[in-house]
mmCIF file of all heavy atoms in Angstrom:
data_model
loop_
_atom_site.group_PDB
_atom_site.id
_atom_site.type_symbol
_atom_site.label_atom_id
_atom_site.label_comp_id
_atom_site.label_asym_id
_atom_site.label_seq_id
_atom_site.Cartn_x
_atom_site.Cartn_y
_atom_site.Cartn_z
ATOM 1 N N SER A 41 1.165 51.529 -5.827
ATOM 2 C CA SER A 41 2.359 51.038 -5.365
ATOM 3 C C SER A 41 1.970 49.868 -4.266
ATOM 4 O O SER A 41 2.803 48.819 -4.206
ATOM 5 C CB SER A 41 3.164 52.089 -4.613
ATOM 6 O OG SER A 41 2.562 52.512 -3.474
ATOM 7 N N HIS A 42 0.826 49.932 -3.593
ATOM 8 C CA HIS A 42 0.469 48.963 -2.720
ATOM 9 C C HIS A 42 0.159 47.632 -3.385
ATOM 10 O O HIS A 42 0.355 46.586 -2.774
ATOM 11 C CB HIS A 42 -0.675 49.303 -1.930
ATOM 12 C CG HIS A 42 -0.467 50.471 -0.872
ATOM 13 N ND1 HIS A 42 -1.468 50.927 -0.028
ATOM 14 C CD2 HIS A 42 0.693 50.948 -0.404
ATOM 15 C CE1 HIS A 42 -0.867 51.718 0.907
ATOM 16 N NE2 HIS A 42 0.481 51.770 0.673
ATOM 17 N N THR A 43 -0.337 47.783 -4.645
ATOM 18 C CA THR A 43 -0.594 46.534 -5.427
ATOM 19 C C THR A 43 0.543 45.745 -5.678
ATOM 20 O O THR A 43 0.587 44.538 -5.920
ATOM 21 C CB THR A 43 -1.326 46.747 -6.589
ATOM 22 O OG1 THR A 43 -0.654 47.582 -7.694
ATOM 23 C CG2 THR A 43 -2.728 47.464 -6.473
ATOM 24 N N LEU A 44 1.773 46.500 -5.935
ATOM 25 C CA LEU A 44 2.933 45.755 -6.231
ATOM 26 C C LEU A 44 3.401 44.896 -5.056
ATOM 27 O O LEU A 44 4.183 43.849 -5.304
ATOM 28 C CB LEU A 44 4.028 46.840 -6.584
ATOM 29 C CG LEU A 44 3.827 47.798 -7.685
ATOM 30 C CD1 LEU A 44 4.868 48.802 -7.823
ATOM 31 C CD2 LEU A 44 3.673 46.903 -8.964
ATOM 32 N N TYR A 45 3.075 45.162 -3.855
ATOM 33 C CA TYR A 45 3.439 44.274 -2.741
ATOM 34 C C TYR A 45 2.674 43.067 -2.725
ATOM 35 O O TYR A 45 3.060 42.151 -1.884
ATOM 36 C CB TYR A 45 3.353 45.072 -1.490
ATOM 37 C CG TYR A 45 4.532 46.059 -1.221
ATOM 38 C CD1 TYR A 45 4.231 47.411 -1.507
ATOM 39 C CD2 TYR A 45 5.729 45.636 -0.794
ATOM 40 C CE1 TYR A 45 5.266 48.257 -1.382
ATOM 41 C CE2 TYR A 45 6.753 46.690 -0.604
ATOM 42 C CZ TYR A 45 6.474 47.988 -0.993
ATOM 43 O OH TYR A 45 7.563 48.876 -0.734
ATOM 44 N N ARG A 46 1.663 42.902 -3.579
ATOM 45 C CA ARG A 46 0.861 41.660 -3.560
ATOM 46 C C ARG A 46 1.368 40.868 -4.620
ATOM 47 O O ARG A 46 0.670 39.726 -4.999
ATOM 48 C CB ARG A 46 -0.477 42.029 -3.764
ATOM 49 C CG ARG A 46 -1.175 42.727 -2.555
ATOM 50 C CD ARG A 46 -2.738 43.000 -2.655
ATOM 51 N NE ARG A 46 -3.202 43.766 -1.554
ATOM 52 C CZ ARG A 46 -3.478 45.046 -1.624
ATOM 53 N NH1 ARG A 46 -3.320 45.765 -2.892
ATOM 54 N NH2 ARG A 46 -3.868 45.755 -0.595
ATOM 55 N N ASP A 47 2.325 41.153 -5.468
ATOM 56 C CA ASP A 47 2.728 40.390 -6.594
ATOM 57 C C ASP A 47 4.212 40.006 -6.381
ATOM 58 O O ASP A 47 5.176 40.748 -6.298
ATOM 59 C CB ASP A 47 2.814 41.277 -7.797
ATOM 60 C CG ASP A 47 2.970 40.636 -9.134
ATOM 61 O OD1 ASP A 47 3.904 39.764 -9.241
ATOM 62 O OD2 ASP A 47 2.357 40.963 -10.210
ATOM 63 N N ASN A 48 4.343 38.610 -6.463
ATOM 64 C CA ASN A 48 5.736 37.948 -6.137
ATOM 65 C C ASN A 48 6.723 38.356 -7.156
ATOM 66 O O ASN A 48 7.956 38.491 -6.833
ATOM 67 C CB ASN A 48 5.696 36.472 -6.138
ATOM 68 C CG ASN A 48 4.936 35.941 -4.838
ATOM 69 O OD1 ASN A 48 4.803 36.652 -3.844
ATOM 70 N ND2 ASN A 48 4.250 34.811 -5.033
ATOM 71 N N LYS A 49 6.342 38.828 -8.400
ATOM 72 C CA LYS A 49 7.338 39.226 -9.269
ATOM 73 C C LYS A 49 8.062 40.515 -8.893
ATOM 74 O O LYS A 49 9.155 40.587 -9.000
ATOM 75 C CB LYS A 49 6.658 39.556 -10.582
ATOM 76 C CG LYS A 49 7.567 39.921 -11.728
ATOM 77 C CD LYS A 49 6.867 39.943 -13.086
ATOM 78 C CE LYS A 49 6.067 41.204 -13.251
ATOM 79 N NZ LYS A 49 5.500 41.411 -14.553
ATOM 80 N N TYR A 50 7.228 41.334 -8.333
ATOM 81 C CA TYR A 50 7.782 42.701 -7.854
ATOM 82 C C TYR A 50 8.472 42.526 -6.498
ATOM 83 O O TYR A 50 9.585 43.125 -6.192
ATOM 84 C CB TYR A 50 6.740 43.711 -7.840
ATOM 85 C CG TYR A 50 6.163 43.975 -9.151
ATOM 86 C CD1 TYR A 50 4.882 43.673 -9.486
ATOM 87 C CD2 TYR A 50 6.936 44.547 -10.205
ATOM 88 C CE1 TYR A 50 4.272 43.729 -10.742
ATOM 89 C CE2 TYR A 50 6.335 44.819 -11.406
ATOM 90 C CZ TYR A 50 5.138 44.386 -11.649
ATOM 91 O OH TYR A 50 4.657 44.641 -12.975
ATOM 92 N N THR A 51 7.866 41.833 -5.621
ATOM 93 C CA THR A 51 8.487 41.610 -4.180
ATOM 94 C C THR A 51 9.800 40.813 -4.417
ATOM 95 O O THR A 51 10.768 41.055 -3.589
ATOM 96 C CB THR A 51 7.577 41.108 -3.197
ATOM 97 O OG1 THR A 51 7.089 39.827 -3.718
ATOM 98 C CG2 THR A 51 6.490 41.874 -2.903
ATOM 99 N N GLY A 52 9.782 39.875 -5.273
ATOM 100 C CA GLY A 52 11.056 39.095 -5.478
ATOM 101 C C GLY A 52 12.254 39.999 -5.921
ATOM 102 O O GLY A 52 13.255 39.896 -5.497
ATOM 103 N N LEU A 53 11.920 40.854 -6.942
ATOM 104 C CA LEU A 53 12.947 41.787 -7.412
ATOM 105 C C LEU A 53 13.330 42.784 -6.322
ATOM 106 O O LEU A 53 14.590 43.034 -6.197
ATOM 107 C CB LEU A 53 12.302 42.650 -8.528
ATOM 108 C CG LEU A 53 13.294 43.683 -9.237
ATOM 109 C CD1 LEU A 53 14.439 43.006 -9.724
ATOM 110 C CD2 LEU A 53 12.586 44.379 -10.288
ATOM 111 N N LEU A 54 12.319 43.299 -5.481
ATOM 112 C CA LEU A 54 12.833 44.235 -4.454
ATOM 113 C C LEU A 54 13.623 43.424 -3.478
ATOM 114 O O LEU A 54 14.584 44.086 -2.840
ATOM 115 C CB LEU A 54 11.583 44.897 -3.880
ATOM 116 C CG LEU A 54 11.817 45.912 -2.607
ATOM 117 C CD1 LEU A 54 12.671 46.982 -3.110
ATOM 118 C CD2 LEU A 54 10.479 46.449 -2.240
ATOM 119 N N LYS A 55 13.287 42.195 -3.091
ATOM 120 C CA LYS A 55 14.156 41.509 -2.225
ATOM 121 C C LYS A 55 15.608 41.385 -2.645
ATOM 122 O O LYS A 55 16.533 41.472 -1.855
ATOM 123 C CB LYS A 55 13.630 39.979 -1.774
ATOM 124 C CG LYS A 55 12.491 40.032 -0.822
ATOM 125 C CD LYS A 55 12.084 38.549 -0.677
ATOM 126 C CE LYS A 55 10.789 38.686 0.325
ATOM 127 N NZ LYS A 55 10.072 37.520 0.162
ATOM 128 N N LYS A 56 15.725 41.091 -3.954
ATOM 129 C CA LYS A 56 17.081 40.998 -4.598
ATOM 130 C C LYS A 56 17.817 42.239 -4.442
ATOM 131 O O LYS A 56 19.060 42.273 -4.116
ATOM 132 C CB LYS A 56 16.913 40.588 -6.022
ATOM 133 C CG LYS A 56 16.584 39.019 -6.036
ATOM 134 C CD LYS A 56 16.553 38.610 -7.583
ATOM 135 C CE LYS A 56 16.170 37.094 -7.518
ATOM 136 N NZ LYS A 56 16.069 36.460 -8.802
ATOM 137 N N ILE A 57 17.282 43.377 -4.657
ATOM 138 C CA ILE A 57 17.794 44.692 -4.585
ATOM 139 C C ILE A 57 18.230 44.975 -3.151
ATOM 140 O O ILE A 57 19.397 45.506 -2.884
ATOM 141 C CB ILE A 57 16.822 45.795 -5.004
ATOM 142 C CG1 ILE A 57 16.639 45.749 -6.575
ATOM 143 C CG2 ILE A 57 17.466 47.164 -4.681
ATOM 144 C CD1 ILE A 57 15.585 46.550 -7.125
ATOM 145 N N LEU A 58 17.441 44.571 -2.194
ATOM 146 C CA LEU A 58 17.710 44.792 -0.812
ATOM 147 C C LEU A 58 18.781 43.870 -0.322
ATOM 148 O O LEU A 58 19.735 44.212 0.400
ATOM 149 C CB LEU A 58 16.497 44.593 0.148
ATOM 150 C CG LEU A 58 15.388 45.642 -0.123
ATOM 151 C CD1 LEU A 58 14.215 45.227 0.675
ATOM 152 C CD2 LEU A 58 15.873 46.965 0.455
ATOM 153 N N GLU A 59 18.890 42.595 -0.862
ATOM 154 C CA GLU A 59 19.982 41.711 -0.617
ATOM 155 C C GLU A 59 21.272 42.256 -1.116
ATOM 156 O O GLU A 59 22.323 42.152 -0.441
ATOM 157 C CB GLU A 59 19.660 40.318 -1.180
ATOM 158 C CG GLU A 59 18.631 39.619 -0.294
ATOM 159 C CD GLU A 59 18.018 38.330 -0.940
ATOM 160 O OE1 GLU A 59 18.523 38.026 -2.202
ATOM 161 O OE2 GLU A 59 17.156 37.752 -0.458
ATOM 162 N N LYS A 60 21.313 42.943 -2.321
ATOM 163 C CA LYS A 60 22.384 43.482 -2.822
ATOM 164 C C LYS A 60 22.916 44.577 -1.954
ATOM 165 O O LYS A 60 24.122 44.793 -1.757
ATOM 166 C CB LYS A 60 22.254 43.912 -4.307
ATOM 167 C CG LYS A 60 23.441 44.500 -4.933
ATOM 168 C CD LYS A 60 23.343 44.248 -6.482
ATOM 169 C CE LYS A 60 24.546 44.899 -7.030
ATOM 170 N NZ LYS A 60 25.962 44.309 -6.876
ATOM 171 N N PHE A 61 21.939 45.384 -1.483
ATOM 172 C CA PHE A 61 22.240 46.484 -0.576
ATOM 173 C C PHE A 61 22.966 45.930 0.708
ATOM 174 O O PHE A 61 24.079 46.468 1.029
ATOM 175 C CB PHE A 61 21.044 47.292 -0.188
ATOM 176 C CG PHE A 61 21.126 48.093 0.925
ATOM 177 C CD1 PHE A 61 21.897 49.300 0.994
ATOM 178 C CD2 PHE A 61 20.411 47.893 2.109
ATOM 179 C CE1 PHE A 61 22.058 50.058 2.036
ATOM 180 C CE2 PHE A 61 20.478 48.704 3.250
ATOM 181 C CZ PHE A 61 21.189 49.891 3.242
ATOM 182 N N ARG A 62 22.401 44.909 1.210
ATOM 183 C CA ARG A 62 23.019 44.171 2.449
ATOM 184 C C ARG A 62 24.438 43.718 2.138
ATOM 185 O O ARG A 62 25.314 43.953 2.985
ATOM 186 C CB ARG A 62 22.094 43.061 2.918
ATOM 187 C CG ARG A 62 22.614 42.289 4.085
ATOM 188 C CD ARG A 62 22.011 40.837 4.115
ATOM 189 N NE ARG A 62 22.439 40.158 3.001
ATOM 190 C CZ ARG A 62 21.548 39.206 2.586
ATOM 191 N NH1 ARG A 62 20.525 38.657 3.088
ATOM 192 N NH2 ARG A 62 21.884 38.554 1.460
#
Side-chain angles (χ1 to χ4, degrees):
S41 73
H42 285 179
T43 64
L44 299 177
Y45 285 100
R46 294 184 184 102
D47 188 322
N48 290 334
K49 180 171 83 174
Y50 300 109
T51 56
L53 178 60
L54 183 53
K55 278 182 193 165
K56 287 180 181 178
I57 292 168
L58 292 172
E59 288 168 357
K60 181 148 178 74
F61 165 66
R62 177 201 60 207

